[in-house]
Amino acid sequence: MPLTPLQHDPRYGEMDQVLRAYAGQRADDTEEKPSVALTAYLRHTWHSRPWAVGIAESQLREYARNPPGPLLLRLGEVYPLPDPGLAGAEIQTWLLTVAGHLRRCLAEGDMPPPGAPETRWEWQARFPELGQLLGGWFSQDHGVEFADHEEALRDYLEVTDRALAARLCGEVYELLALRLDEADYAYGLSLLGLEIDPPVPYTHGAWLGIIAEEVLRGA
């Protein structure tokens, strides 16, 4: 039977976060250099949940040293490892390589400095409430459900808890503080679920400022 959260999280929960960071990215970590995906995981996690890095290292190492057999996998009683695009014999070595990078980073304090997100996972992990707004209210169905951008934002504020709206405002200001160029804002917002253009005549960055102002006014 499938694992319950009480069974999954203590044994595989943080390892799962690491492996999710590899979605759409290459598992090309070497002993000398971590992959883009692992660097993104470290950059976000070290500055938001630093205690989780050690948990991830322990869970990855344990899984690599004691990989589950096919019967347990079929029964759903262990964590089904996502396909990293490696041959079966390479997966165990790769998991230990990833765990080694996590251990060295903890031991030496050599973590990626704060900076702009570089992967889809990192964008979504860092700006979850902004992703909720963009993916839920500014997707392809926006024109069917709302007359314009302002109506969509008003609807979000009407149905969203004030604490979550305040979190959205903080995420928007954090994103604006990165001072990205317009192309990077457009790319990042698309990774967060935006599927329409900002309202005329605003750029993506300028529209983010409008959103923050409206949220402060309506929260």
Side-chain angles (χ1 to χ4, degrees):
M1 60 182 296
L3 294 170
T4 67
L6 287 175
Q7 295 169 319
H8 173 275
D9 291 353
R11 296 175 63 188
Y12 311 115
E14 196 57 33
M15 179 178 77
D16 183 53
Q17 289 298 310
V18 175
L19 298 180
R20 286 175 183 271
Y22 283 83
Q25 300 293 320
R26 296 179 61 187
D28 56 357
D29 306 86
T30 66
E31 291 290 341
E32 294 75 27
K33 184 178 180 180
S35 63
V36 170
L38 185 58
T39 301
Y41 168 82
L42 284 167
R43 179 169 42 244
H44 173 70
T45 306
W46 180 248
H47 297 285
S48 60
R49 301 181 301 123
W51 48 267
V53 177
I55 296 174
E57 187 274 337
S58 178
Q59 291 180 353
L60 282 160
R61 196 173 297 278
E62 178 64 22
Y63 194 96
R65 288 175 173 171
N66 300 284
L71 176 59
L72 291 178
L73 286 171
R74 285 199 300 271
L75 293 175
E77 296 180 359
V78 293
Y79 177 76
L81 192 73
D83 183 5
L86 301 172
E90 299 174 316
I91 293 177
Q92 185 177 18
T93 300
W94 170 66
L95 290 173
L96 290 172
T97 298
V98 173
H101 279 298
L102 297 180
R103 175 171 290 187
R104 281 191 293 275
C105 286
L106 285 171
E108 301 171 9
D110 185 18
M111 295 289 177
E118 292 187 12
T119 68
R120 179 185 294 273
W121 177 89
E122 191 178 4
W123 275 96
Q124 295 176 347
R126 187 166 175 181
F127 303 111
E129 191 58 29
L130 180 55
Q132 180 71 13
L133 169 67
L134 298 177
W137 279 263
F138 296 98
S139 65
Q140 295 182 51
D141 296 329
H142 166 85
V144 176
E145 300 181 33
F146 307 107
D148 53 29
H149 294 68
E150 292 183 4
E151 182 181 337
L153 185 56
R154 284 197 303 271
D155 185 75
Y156 165 85
L157 292 173
E158 289 173 1
V159 302
T160 301
D161 186 271
R162 291 169 62 91
L164 292 177
R167 184 177 301 171
L168 166 69
C169 195
E171 289 179 9
V172 170
Y173 280 125
E174 180 180 348
L175 178 52
L176 289 172
L178 295 175
R179 298 186 181 277
L180 305 180
D181 60 33
E182 176 59 15
D184 288 334
Y185 277 129
Y187 176 69
L189 297 188
S190 71
L191 295 182
L192 291 173
L194 179 65
E195 296 179 333
I196 62 173
D197 292 328
V200 177
Y202 299 107
T203 63
H204 290 80
W207 183 47
L208 284 172
I210 297 296
I211 290 175
E213 291 174 3
E214 290 299 320
V215 172
L216 283 175
R217 188 176 297 117

